[in-house]
Amino acid sequence: MSEVETVLSCESARAMVSRKVFVEAFGCQMNFLDGELAVSRLSEHGWARTADPEDADLILFNTCSIRDQSENRVWSRLGALRPRKERDPGLLIGIMGCMAQRDAESILRRMPHVDLVCGTRRFHEMHTLVERAETEGQVIAIETDGFVDIVRDVRVRPQRHRAYVSVMRGCDHKCSYCIVPTTRGVQTDRPFEDVVDEVRRLAEDGVREVTFLGQNINTYGRYLPGRPTLGDAIRAVDQIDGIDRIRFLTSNPMDIRDELLEAMAETPSAAGYLHFPAQHGHSDVLRRMFRGYSRERYLEVCAKAREVCPGIELATDLIVGFPGETEAEFEATRSLMEEVRFKQIYVFKYSPRPGTAAAEQYVDDVSDQTKRERKNELLALQDSISVERNQALVGTQIRVLVDGPSPRNAARLSGRAEGQHMVILDGSPDLAGEFVNVHVERATAAALYGVLVPETGA
Ligand code: 5AD
Ligand code: SF4
């Protein structure tokens, strides 16, 4: 320790050393991004990020309410922090996100050691909320509508070459099972210029791939002057130097327009990947889910996407065990998978959410055991589809954005192809953040394995 430091009083030493925040996000990509945005705000006010909760002065959980299980995970994490808070009353504990928005009072009642509860539209004020929690005691900050100021310090982000960009918030649909319209409110669009400006700043700081985020992103722009579309945003961002890949998540199939598909086809950096949740393969269940499309219509959109964007990869979310789901209805989901042959599926067991139409109108009558069996059945089917589809790529060359050392084997590199295939290859760690061409030699359900193809020509 230097002489100067040794003469500082404890108090002033504390003021000089930045305090540390640990953030953990549960649930969707939007939550991960919001956690980052909250940290970005705190970092502008003297906080540093830590990856170690034991080392943190502030622990923030960005919570998810989409299923019962997501909430239970947070409750148990919070319970486990109680003894630490007793030992160290200076530790601050904050809850953000959907659980916070849904039921702040019950969080504070069940977990009185929580200092701060901040809903889905106030996290940009995190630095002031933390100060208030320190001086005034427990703080609740919930807003049900209004614009969220999400201007961010682009340097604060978990990955050097990829970044999420929020383009809209909330959702105007009311799917019968879904809590999102309650916890995230109605759709609000971020101004077009702000989106483009943020991507430009990210590109200047080394980002090569952006993913636009929104709950129902293909209706982006409907509330903005001039009604710009997601297609317009893709085209505008494609012009930015340094941005070589553009993705977006997530789209309700009923809102996919030809204009978006055409924009994807025409824009070199738009990734050929479309995540648009079918949720179910049977039209009667889709009707009970208030999804607004039939199985036939969904299949038409798949065909259209493949016609306009040849080679596009399709991914979906599927719910099993929705109230009243018969064996025959479940079979329709299986057959939808066989017909579409998705690149990827995400399967969820239905979980009744308080206040949603499905929870109020229907009995949760499919047993957990049946839900589990149906989920496993779909996952096994997808595994066999993935193996076949991946093996068809053996012998071809694909373009990969290298992430860095593979999480499973640090001696190798891993990256992602345009269609979200995980690709494992040998190469120097310096390639992280670079696009490379890879010759695929081997494939499993989970990944492609290949070798670097040397760059030729200028
Ligand atoms: N139960 C189960 N899965 C749900 N999802 C949304 N709400 C529920 C629920 N109540 C799934 C949908 C959605 C994904 C994010 O979570 O498949 O697309
Ligand atoms: Fe929920 Fe439906 Fe909106 Fe998606 S489209 S967020 S499932 S209400």
Side-chain angles (χ1 to χ4, degrees):
M1 203 181 257
S2 79
E3 244 173 65
V4 181
E5 278 168 331
T6 51
V7 294
L8 287 173
S9 72
C10 251
E11 264 313 295
S12 50
R14 194 170 292 156
M16 291 202 56
V17 175
S18 63
R19 290 192 299 161
K20 292 184 187 153
V21 52
F22 168 84
V23 65
E24 181 171 359
F26 299 81
C28 64
Q29 287 87 351
M30 185 81 83
N31 259 14
F32 283 84
L33 175 60
D34 288 352
E36 294 305 315
L37 296 176
V39 171
S40 161
R41 271 295 144 92
L42 288 166
S43 73
E44 289 161 16
H45 294 83
W47 287 81
R49 176 197 211 118
T50 174
D52 178 7
E54 290 300 319
D55 192 32
D57 304 284
L58 165 63
I59 293 182
L60 270 181
F61 291 139
N62 198 6
T63 59
C64 171
S65 288
I66 203 105
R67 286 170 289 278
D68 211 23
Q69 202 187 6
S70 332
E71 295 200 342
N72 290 341
R73 225 174 280 148
V74 172
W75 287 124
S76 78
R77 211 58 131 256
L78 279 176
L81 278 177
R82 202 190 298 256
R84 174 151 169 223
K85 177 84 174 184
E86 277 162 15
R87 276 195 325 272
D88 177 9
L91 171 73
L92 290 164
I93 301 174
I95 304 300
M96 321 165 34
C98 290
M99 270 173 87
Q101 184 79 22
R102 201 162 80 75
D103 208 352
E105 264 90 20
S106 93
I107 292 177
L108 291 183
R109 205 169 41 247
R110 269 178 77 174
M111 299 286 164
H113 55 294
V114 167
D115 300 282
L116 163 65
V117 184
C118 167
T120 49
R121 295 195 182 221
R122 296 279 300 267
F123 59 85
H124 55 289
E125 301 166 40
M126 192 52 81
H127 53 293
T128 29
L129 299 176
V130 170
E131 267 172 35
R132 276 181 47 207
E134 282 182 303
T135 51
E136 299 166 19
Q138 284 180 326
V139 169
I140 295 183
I142 306 290
E143 201 70 65
T144 48
D145 55 20
F147 182 68
V148 188
D149 171 14
I150 37 179
V151 176
R152 83 204 262 198
D153 178 348
V154 294
R155 291 165 306 174
V156 181
R157 58 174 199 272
Q159 279 189 297
R160 273 218 49 68
H161 54 277
R162 290 181 202 279
Y164 290 129
V165 174
S166 168
V167 306
M168 63 177 293
R169 287 175 178 271
C171 179
D172 288 349
H173 287 296
K174 285 246 175 286
C175 301
S176 64
Y177 52 82
C178 185
I179 193 91
V180 165
T182 316
T183 58
R184 297 228 166 223
V186 292
Q187 176 171 338
T188 25
D189 296 327
R190 188 171 181 203
F192 189 82
E193 303 69 34
D194 291 6
V195 171
V196 177
D197 178 62
E198 183 169 306
V199 177
R200 189 170 294 118
R201 287 183 293 121
L202 285 163
E204 283 164 7
D205 200 50
V207 166
R208 311 285 311 269
E209 174 184 303
V210 286
T211 303
F212 291 149
L213 294 184
Q215 249 84 35
N216 189 31
I217 197 157
N218 35 4
T219 54
Y220 169 71
R222 60 154 58 144
Y223 296 117
L224 292 176
R227 297 176 62 114
T229 63
L230 177 62
D232 295 333
I234 290 172
R235 287 189 173 100
V237 163
D238 178 61
Q239 300 296 311
I240 296 174
D241 268 356
I243 298 298
D244 291 314
R245 211 178 251 173
I246 306 165
R247 302 185 183 279
F248 58 88
L249 291 170
T250 282
S251 319
N252 184 313
M254 87 163 115
D255 296 312
I256 293 202
R257 303 272 176 272
D258 291 355
E259 185 265 335
L260 171 64
L261 299 172
E262 282 154 14
M264 290 174 76
E266 283 164 22
T267 310
S269 51
Y273 179 86
L274 191 58
H275 178 256
F276 66 130
Q279 308 296 3
H280 208 275
H282 199 291
S283 296
D284 289 350
V285 181
L286 290 170
R287 207 168 300 121
R288 302 206 290 280
M289 288 178 163
F290 303 168
R291 287 293 281 177
Y293 55 86
S294 61
R295 172 193 177 95
E296 291 66 34
R297 173 76 194 127
Y298 185 83
L299 289 170
E300 273 168 32
V301 181
C302 293
K304 185 79 192 180
R306 285 180 165 150
E307 177 196 324
V308 179
C309 306
I312 195 168
E313 294 288 355
L314 305 177
T316 190
D317 295 353
L318 296 167
I319 295 177
V320 291
F322 189 77
E325 186 189 57
T326 62
E327 200 56 45
E329 286 170 343
F330 169 67
E331 271 306 312
T333 296
R334 275 185 64 99
S335 75
L336 183 86
M337 285 175 60
E338 276 160 349
E339 210 161 318
V340 179
R341 293 175 64 81
F342 294 102
K343 153 74 182 76
Q344 211 155 338
I345 61 162
Y346 302 89
V347 190
F348 305 103
K349 295 187 294 174
Y350 170 70
S351 161
R353 308 315 295 138
T356 57
E360 274 163 20
Q361 291 175 20
Y362 305 119
V363 179
D364 180 17
D365 55 0
V366 179
S367 72
D368 194 55
Q369 160 94 1
T370 303
K371 286 179 186 167
R372 205 169 329 120
E373 284 166 9
R374 290 179 178 173
K375 177 175 173 176
N376 289 340
E377 215 178 296
L378 296 187
L379 291 175
L381 174 60
Q382 182 59 34
D383 250 22
S384 64
I385 293 174
S386 294
V387 170
E388 281 174 27
R389 300 197 64 210
N390 284 352
Q391 280 174 354
L393 293 170
V394 171
T396 65
Q397 193 169 305
I398 49 174
R399 197 152 171 266
V400 175
L401 175 56
V402 178
D403 283 321
S406 156
R408 293 253 177 97
N409 174 0
R412 309 198 76 187
L413 298 177
S414 77
R416 292 270 172 186
E418 194 185 335
Q420 282 291 28
H421 306 84
M422 156 95 77
V423 182
I424 309 293
L425 62 149
D426 288 322
S428 152
D430 295 347
L431 289 175
E434 298 292 328
F435 282 90
V436 295
N437 290 323
V438 174
H439 179 80
V440 181
E441 295 192 319
R442 188 166 70 81
T444 64
L448 306 175
Y449 296 80
V451 291
L452 269 177
V453 177
E455 293 287 328
T456 52

